[in-house]
Amino acid sequence: MTWPCKHAERPPGRHDLVFVSPAGWRAMLDARGDLATDALVARWSKMRWPTIRRRALPGEANGLALGLPLPPSAGKRRISLQVDSDHVTSVARPLLLRQARAYAPRNWWATLDRLDALARCHAVNARVLGSLAWQSLTGLDYVTTRSDLDVLFEFRAETDIDRFVADVVSIETDAPMRLDGELMGADGAAVNWREFHSGASELLVKSIERVALLGRHQFISGAMAS
């Protein structure tokens, strides 16, 4: 399935969906001879399905670092790619939780609805990552009985993060799946929500450029961007 997206108005950030031109796909696959006979990767290019923006690995100085996660039927391989920014046709934020609902198992729906309502109440954007996101985007079978629900919670300066995370924990108590994911501030820096809920004085904070230990208040105030 093709989802609408906006042309990039900023460099793609962590977790962004990155759509690549046919010429870009040819260049990426030419650089990866090991993928030349991979039918699923070839289909990915043909269907114009997105890749995901990731942090560059050491030695990846040129081009935009992208990832392509394959479904369980293909061994759940995580393929690393690089593309010239000129070949990026558009960029989109991850799907909102409610956009992915129809692709989730029915016994997940009540949990998705509760999380969506909670997010709206706290002025948080709840976006889906992981298996449910890719099942929604491609129509391929990613979600299994062992899958987690991965959610990206984008909070605002006025959000009471401690209260919000406590409410997420309460929802998980009755959920049929494990809840995983991150809290992300306006600066694009993110932390695992479970780690934040643990009350740790220092948090492992991730951005598209780096990973760093920050104090809780530093993370909430957006210190990663400074």
Side-chain angles (χ1 to χ4, degrees):
M1 180 172 186
T2 301
W3 290 80
C5 54
K6 298 180 179 179
H7 288 282
E9 298 175 352
R10 57 171 174 76
R14 189 162 165 270
H15 298 310
D16 277 354
L17 301 173
V18 179
F19 292 78
V20 177
S21 69
W25 273 107
R26 287 194 295 273
M28 288 194 299
L29 297 183
D30 285 347
R32 289 288 307 271
D34 59 311
L35 301 177
T37 60
D38 193 308
L40 183 53
V41 175
R43 184 183 176 196
W44 211 280
S45 170
K46 182 179 179 180
M47 296 299 293
R48 307 284 183 89
W49 289 332
T51 59
I52 189 168
R53 181 74 163 100
R54 62 176 174 83
R55 189 167 48 253
L57 300 172
E60 292 183 328
N62 300 317
L64 201 65
L66 305 175
L68 194 164
L70 299 184
S73 61
K76 299 182 70 173
R77 291 171 60 202
R78 298 295 183 261
I79 297 174
S80 298
L81 300 167
Q82 284 183 279
V83 71
D84 189 289
S85 58
D86 290 342
H87 290 309
V88 174
T89 59
S90 53
V91 176
R93 297 297 294 134
L95 300 177
L96 292 168
L97 202 62
R98 55 185 174 273
Q99 290 177 296
R101 182 183 189 273
Y103 295 88
R106 284 185 175 270
N107 67 329
W108 285 25
W109 285 9
T111 300
L112 295 175
D113 291 344
R114 291 181 67 190
L115 287 172
D116 185 54
L118 175 67
R120 291 171 187 250
C121 180
H122 285 270
V124 169
N125 284 328
R127 300 185 181 276
V128 65
L129 305 172
S131 59
L132 179 56
W134 291 105
Q135 184 157 298
S136 304
L137 289 161
T138 67
L140 301 176
D141 292 329
Y142 278 82
V143 179
T144 72
T145 56
R146 297 183 299 276
S147 294
D148 296 342
L149 172 60
D150 296 291
V151 186
L152 180 66
F153 298 113
E154 298 175 334
F155 64 89
R156 305 179 187 178
E158 64 269 25
T159 305
D160 184 338
I161 301 299
D162 287 292
R163 180 180 175 187
F164 174 77
V165 171
D167 289 341
V168 171
V169 172
S170 178
I171 289 174
E172 187 184 37
T173 302
D174 300 319
M177 81 299 276
R178 182 178 185 273
L179 302 184
D180 202 358
E182 296 181 337
L183 302 166
M184 178 178 281
D187 62 346
V191 67
N192 183 280
W193 71 262
R194 291 182 184 278
E195 184 178 352
F196 186 92
H197 181 64
S198 73
S201 58
E202 285 192 319
L203 304 169
L204 187 67
V205 183
K206 300 177 181 180
S207 73
I208 195 60
E209 294 88 12
R210 61 195 175 103
V211 178
L213 283 174
L214 289 181
R216 294 171 66 85
H217 295 295
Q218 289 179 296
F219 165 66
I220 294 172
S221 65
M224 191 80 159
S226 59

